[in-house]
C-alpha cells in the first residue's frame, strides 16, 4: 500500500514538471541580464552611426540603434521553450516608435546573445550581440 502511494506521488510530480517549464514568468531571467553590443560591421547596418546595443534589465528590455529612439519593452514575461527564451511584452511609444505588443526569442551562448525569433515589425536588428560592460564606437 505504501509503495503504491509512493509510486503515485512520484508519478504525479513527474507529470507536473513539463507544465511548469512552459509557464510564463514575469521579468527577465538572470542569465540574460546585462549589456550587449552588435558584432555586425557598422557599414552593414541601416543606421551605421554606432553598433546597436541591447540592454536586458530585471523588468525591461531595450534596443538602441544610432539615430533612432530607444525601443523599450516593459511588462515582460518569458518562458523557456526549445532551447531559447520566448518573450512577450509591451513596446513603449517613444518618438516615431509606434509601440504595442511584441514577442521575440533570445538565446545565449557563452557571452553572445542571439535573436532566434522576431515577430515584430518594430525590431529590425542584427542577430548576434556580444556582452560588454561599456559601449564601443
Amino acid at each position: 500500500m505504501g509503495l503504491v502511494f509512493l509510486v503515485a506521488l512520484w508519478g504525479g510530480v513527474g507529470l507536473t514538471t513539463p507544465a511548469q517549464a512552459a509557464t510564463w514568468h514575469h521579468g527577465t531571467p538572470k542569465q540574460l541580464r546585462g549589456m550587449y553590443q552588435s558584432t555586425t560591421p557598422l557599414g552593414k547596418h541601416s543606421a551605421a552611426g554606432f553598433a546597436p546595443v541591447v540592454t536586458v534589465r530585471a523588468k525591461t528590455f531595450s534596443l538602441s540603434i544610432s539615430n533612432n529612439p530607444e525601443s523599450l519593452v516593459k511588462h515582460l514575461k518569458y518562458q523557456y521553450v526549445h532551447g531559447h527564451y520566448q518573450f512577450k511584452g509591451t513596446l513603449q511609444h517613444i518618438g516615431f516608435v509606434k509601440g504595442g505588443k511584441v514577442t521575440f526569442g533570445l538565446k545565449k551562448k557563452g557571452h553572445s546573445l542571439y535573436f532566434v525569433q522576431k515577430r515584430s515589425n518594430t525590431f529590425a536588428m542584427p542577430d548576434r550581440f556580444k556582452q560588454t560592460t561599456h559601449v564601443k564606437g
Side-chain angles (χ1 to χ4, degrees):
M1 183 69 158
L3 182 60
V4 173
F5 176 73
L6 183 61
V7 169
L9 179 64
W10 189 35
V13 171
L15 293 175
T16 60
T17 304
Q20 291 172 350
T23 58
W24 289 94
H25 306 281
H26 291 279
T28 62
K30 290 181 182 178
Q31 301 90 306
L32 298 182
R33 293 180 192 165
M35 182 184 294
Y36 303 85
Q37 188 169 21
S38 172
T39 59
T40 303
L42 295 178
K44 294 192 179 208
H45 196 271
S46 60
F50 65 87
V53 175
V54 166
T55 306
V56 182
R57 293 195 177 99
K59 296 182 180 182
T60 62
F61 170 89
S62 67
L63 171 67
S64 300
I65 300 176
S66 68
N67 302 326
N68 291 329
E70 178 182 48
S71 297
L72 181 65
V73 182
K74 292 184 174 181
H75 309 293
L76 281 170
K77 291 183 180 180
Y78 73 93
Q79 65 179 352
Y80 190 76
V81 185
H82 304 295
H84 73 276
Y85 291 95
Q86 182 69 32
F87 288 88
K88 62 182 178 179
T90 305
L91 181 65
Q92 299 298 296
H93 172 74
I94 301 172
F96 61 79
V97 175
K98 184 178 179 183
K101 299 209 181 287
V102 294
T103 61
F104 56 96
L106 295 175
K107 184 173 189 173
K108 186 170 182 180
K109 285 185 180 178
H111 295 286
S112 296
L113 187 69
Y114 297 88
F115 280 88
V116 294
Q117 184 179 20
K118 296 175 263 189
R119 288 190 297 189
S120 168
N121 57 358
T122 309
F123 287 146
M125 79 289 284
D127 291 331
R128 183 172 182 251
F129 291 80
K130 183 126 176 136
Q131 193 164 18
T132 183
T133 56
H134 64 283
V135 177
K136 301 173 187 171

